[in-house]
Amino acid sequence: MKRAFLVHLLAMLGVLCVLHAAEPLSGSPAKPNIIYIMSDDHAAEAIGAYGGRLAPLNPTPTIDKLAKEGMLFENCFADNSLCTPSRASILTGQYNHRNKVYDLDGSLDAAHQFLPLEMSKAGYQTAMIGKWHLGAEPAAFDYYCVLPGQGEYFNPHFLVRGDKPWPKNIVKHEGHVTDVTLDLVLDWMKHGRDPKKPFFLMYHNKAPHDNFEFAPRYKDYLKDTEIPEPSSLWSQPHFGSIATRGDHDELLPYIGSSIGTRNPMRNMVGLFGLGTLPTEEQRKHAAYQEYLKRYLRCVKGIDDSLALFLDYLRSAGLMENTIIVYTSDQGMMLGEHDYIDKRWMYENSERMPLIIRYPKAVKPGSRTDAIVENVDFAPTLLDFAGVKRPGCMQGRSFRTICETGIEPADWTKDAYYRYWMHMAHHDNPGCLGLRTKDFKLIYYYGMARNDDYNHGLRTPPAWELYDLRNDPQELVNIYDNPAYAPIVKDLKQRLAARRMEIGDDGSDYPQIESVVREFWDYDAVARDKAVQLSHQYRSIKESVKDPWNDRPDQGWGKRVKEPTPPPQAP
Ligand code: CA
């Protein structure tokens, strides 16, 4: 009786539209719908709400509004800043040594797609639309429509469930991938959903991944704007170590792909065909501007599509009982340290943007500096869905942080990091490390799991320490500064303890672990050996007569190891 009266009253007031079918009026409180929106390589630096150097360009008004209506996480980090491994950590709640998705060759089979499996058990309808990049069929989802591998920017093919075995059910769509993905999501929302169930949707954009192919309508966006440059693009005399620069900078051409032609094999000058400009300064400047403009045009496409999506959610009355997450699988180096791509543990790569909007429980405009990791995502979303953390997951739920802004007393103080794909594609040495609120300790051990990439050549091991309170741009490696010796000692102990706690104890790869131990204390003998490894690496690279043929994985778009099925028109 009361309910009928309430409905009548609301109808009279013209607000009945907010009480959509997904929000029952009676019975037990409805489980929230969960929409997890993830873009690919979208750095927090390129989101206005994070207030970085690109914020004055107003690159993301829609995402910024989402942040104003929810909580922004200042210290969210990927355990491995690379597409496939980070996605595996998100889906499993496990670090890569546990889920075994170490690099781009990794694959996550349906039995290990824990997040959708647990959501299904909790009564959710599940869907995965967009970039997947986890090899195996996303079979744990009720519905999927995913790009094969990296997917295409224009007229993309998608893989769906069908008569033929995965990955042979291929559908082609016309248009730019960001627009197509939005259309697919809206189509599922309107016609695929079961209104009797709460839903869990993973909505994954391909953009702004390289090669930054924006929709033609954005060609004039930022055309006449000078994009601010980071100082470290040009000068950083105290940055890095022998691991990233070589002895007396001898490895600068070989470590880390670049904006300018520092790395002659892979740089933005080459990608954009700017090699004919007369000076390196002009080439580097032009390449940076072109890189950032293309990237930000892709970001703009994401932001605009999100605005349309939110309009739909509003019109469908789904804004109240739905948790909306915006994030990226990792960050992206946007010219900081003259680096491009991700993989690094440096801030713009390791940091993930994370915004959570849920008006029923998350205070609008709130922010937290609590350290959260991608392995915490699944336990948190499941917690919101009323599911206790499954024992297989290593991450922890940060639901109470979302709801109260308060870190539990026993909340983690460190984010763990490990990059396994030593010297593949973008010439980043294998490393592990720890990120606290104040410091970052990086240990480049410089060794591969196997010799698939770059012949498994070792690079010189070294440690780097950055004081993020005084040096947020990570310009000064203070590992050898005696004033920081107690910090180094403490962080090394914490790093060792964390490794044991999460089981990354080296037992899978004893040959790497022996190197990790050999250079752990980094005494004079170890340092001498690192110098020899630096000389050896340079000497081998210099002796290669035809570096392009020597490194087939180097070419743009020739990532030979990725499991991309050849698209075929139906
Ligand atoms: Ca990515």
Side-chain angles (χ1 to χ4, degrees):
M1 187 72 180
K2 275 182 185 170
R3 180 185 149 188
F5 175 72
L6 181 66
V7 170
H8 179 70
L9 179 67
L10 290 171
M12 293 282 285
L13 294 169
V15 293
L16 192 59
C17 63
V18 298
L19 296 169
H20 190 260
E23 297 179 24
L25 292 167
S26 60
S28 58
K31 287 195 177 194
N33 304 306
I34 301 172
I35 300 177
Y36 177 89
I37 307 168
M38 184 159 81
S39 298
D40 196 352
D41 300 0
H42 191 178
E45 190 76 41
I47 291 179
Y50 276 86
R53 79 172 184 280
L54 303 174
L57 302 173
N58 191 25
T60 54
T62 309
I63 298 170
D64 299 350
K65 187 159 179 289
L66 206 62
K68 275 194 196 128
E69 295 170 356
M71 177 175 268
L72 179 145
F73 290 76
E74 295 168 352
N75 283 326
C76 178
F77 300 105
D79 64 330
N80 184 351
S81 178
L82 187 58
C83 303
T84 303
S86 178
R87 285 155 197 264
S89 295
I90 290 163
L91 268 286
T92 60
Q94 297 176 334
Y95 296 94
N96 296 144
H97 63 276
R98 183 65 59 84
N99 62 40
K100 308 297 179 195
V101 180
Y102 296 99
D103 51 34
L104 294 174
D105 301 339
S107 179
L108 193 70
D109 63 41
H112 294 88
Q113 294 162 18
F114 300 132
L115 179 53
L117 285 173
E118 293 297 325
M119 286 288 182
S120 288
K121 282 193 224 162
Y124 276 74
Q125 185 187 14
T126 60
M128 164 67 230
I129 300 171
K131 181 171 168 180
W132 169 242
H133 210 185
L134 278 166
E137 179 181 12
F141 290 85
D142 295 323
Y143 172 81
Y144 68 79
C145 184
V146 298
L147 293 163
Q150 293 282 3
E152 301 136 306
Y153 262 109
F154 289 98
N155 304 328
H157 295 77
F158 282 80
L159 303 176
V160 296
R161 214 187 291 274
D163 299 338
K164 297 175 223 161
W166 166 270
K168 294 194 172 153
N169 296 293
I170 301 165
V171 182
K172 188 182 178 185
H173 291 273
E174 300 292 318
H176 186 269
V177 69
T178 301
D179 302 331
V180 172
T181 307
L182 172 64
D183 286 346
L184 290 167
V185 164
L186 291 176
D187 187 55
W188 182 80
M189 293 287 296
K190 289 171 187 170
H191 309 296
R193 267 197 322 122
D194 175 355
K196 295 191 290 299
K197 283 182 168 185
F199 67 89
F200 171 57
L201 165 67
M202 298 192 93
Y203 170 2
H204 292 188
N205 284 298
K206 170 181 169 63
H209 193 279
D210 71 23
N211 288 339
F212 325 113
E213 295 170 42
F214 51 87
R217 63 182 179 275
Y218 296 109
K219 70 179 169 49
D220 292 331
Y221 175 64
L222 297 171
K223 186 168 152 253
D224 301 317
T225 302
E226 176 78 9
I227 311 294
E229 294 173 345
S231 68
S232 59
L233 175 63
W234 298 100
S235 171
Q236 45 174 1
H238 306 296
F239 164 78
S241 62
I242 190 173
T244 44
R245 306 174 70 124
D247 184 45
H248 292 88
D249 286 353
E250 69 180 334
L251 299 185
L252 283 180
Y254 308 113
I255 309 266
S257 46
S258 56
I259 299 275
T261 59
R262 173 181 54 75
N263 184 328
M265 288 291 292
R266 193 156 190 180
N267 59 66
M268 288 300 184
V269 172
L271 180 67
F272 301 138
L274 298 165
T276 54
L277 287 170
T279 69
E280 175 60 10
E281 189 179 339
Q282 287 169 312
R283 290 190 285 268
K284 195 166 168 179
H285 173 73
Y288 172 84
Q289 293 294 321
E290 186 66 24
Y291 170 26
L292 267 287
K293 285 180 187 185
R294 291 190 193 204
Y295 181 85
L296 291 171
R297 284 167 191 158
C298 287
V299 167
K300 185 72 176 156
I302 296 286
D303 197 74
D304 286 349
S305 70
L306 186 59
L308 295 174
F309 182 56
L310 295 176
D311 283 348
Y312 166 74
L313 293 181
R314 230 167 262 121
S315 71
L318 286 167
M319 288 297 273
E320 294 305 307
N321 195 40
T322 302
I323 296 166
I324 302 173
V325 178
Y326 185 85
T327 187
S328 169
D329 54 352
Q330 23 36 228
M332 185 80 171
M333 301 306 289
L334 299 174
E336 300 83 13
H337 312 295
D338 188 27
Y339 290 145
I340 59 180
D341 207 70
K342 49 274 183 177
R343 303 164 192 255
W344 295 109
M345 197 187 159
Y346 301 117
E347 281 298 89
N348 295 69
S349 165
E350 184 192 15
R351 182 190 300 279
M352 304 166 80
L354 177 63
I355 291 161
I356 298 181
R357 181 193 187 279
Y358 183 36
K360 283 189 174 175
V362 178
K363 194 176 157 199
S366 52
R367 295 173 86 99
T368 176
D369 70 349
I371 288 188
V372 300
E373 299 170 272
N374 53 357
V375 293
D376 300 326
F377 286 14
T380 304
L381 298 179
L382 288 169
D383 194 1
F384 273 115
V387 180
K388 201 166 159 252
R389 175 178 72 162
C392 60
M393 293 192 178
Q394 297 182 289
R396 287 177 64 187
S397 167
F398 53 85
R399 177 180 173 179
T400 61
I401 298 175
C402 296
E403 292 176 340
T404 66
I406 299 166
E407 274 183 64
D410 63 345
W411 191 251
T412 186
K413 303 288 184 279
D414 329 296
Y416 185 70
Y417 190 83
R418 184 151 193 182
Y419 175 72
W420 290 88
M421 210 172 184
H422 175 69
M423 299 307 280
H425 305 137
H426 285 269
D427 301 328
N428 316 67
C431 75
L432 51 88
L434 209 62
R435 167 61 158 92
T436 72
K437 284 185 184 175
D438 295 334
F439 293 97
K440 182 177 292 179
L441 181 71
I442 311 175
Y443 179 19
Y444 291 101
Y445 53 86
M447 192 175 178
R449 285 193 305 128
N450 50 46
D451 58 2
D452 281 356
Y453 294 102
N454 206 13
H455 310 302
L457 283 178
R458 285 176 63 187
T459 54
W463 293 80
E464 296 180 9
L465 176 69
Y466 297 93
D467 180 346
L468 303 167
R469 300 165 306 180
N470 300 309
D471 179 24
Q473 310 294 317
E474 303 172 319
L475 298 175
V476 184
N477 173 17
I478 40 140
Y479 179 83
D480 284 326
N481 182 332
Y484 287 89
I487 302 284
V488 168
K489 190 178 171 198
D490 175 54
L491 289 176
K492 278 192 177 182
Q493 282 171 354
R494 284 161 68 172
L495 176 59
R498 189 71 188 272
R499 294 189 70 209
M500 293 308 113
E501 180 196 323
I502 62 173
D504 190 10
D505 56 9
S507 51
D508 279 359
Y509 293 96
Q511 74 280 21
I512 296 182
E513 193 59 18
S514 71
V515 170
V516 167
R517 288 181 188 184
E518 183 184 358
F519 291 86
W520 188 273
D521 293 334
Y522 215 54
D523 57 14
V525 174
R527 287 168 194 252
D528 281 349
K529 197 162 178 187
V531 170
Q532 296 313 311
L533 281 163
S534 174
H535 296 339
Q536 194 182 89
Y537 194 85
R538 185 188 68 171
S539 157
I540 290 169
K541 299 306 281 185
E542 281 180 349
S543 70
V544 174
K545 288 198 180 73
D546 184 353
W548 282 100
N549 283 333
D550 185 58
R551 292 286 307 275
D553 61 298
Q554 278 281 25
W556 291 100
K558 293 181 198 165
R559 295 173 173 173
V560 292
K561 289 287 175 185
E562 287 180 33
T564 307
Q568 293 165 356

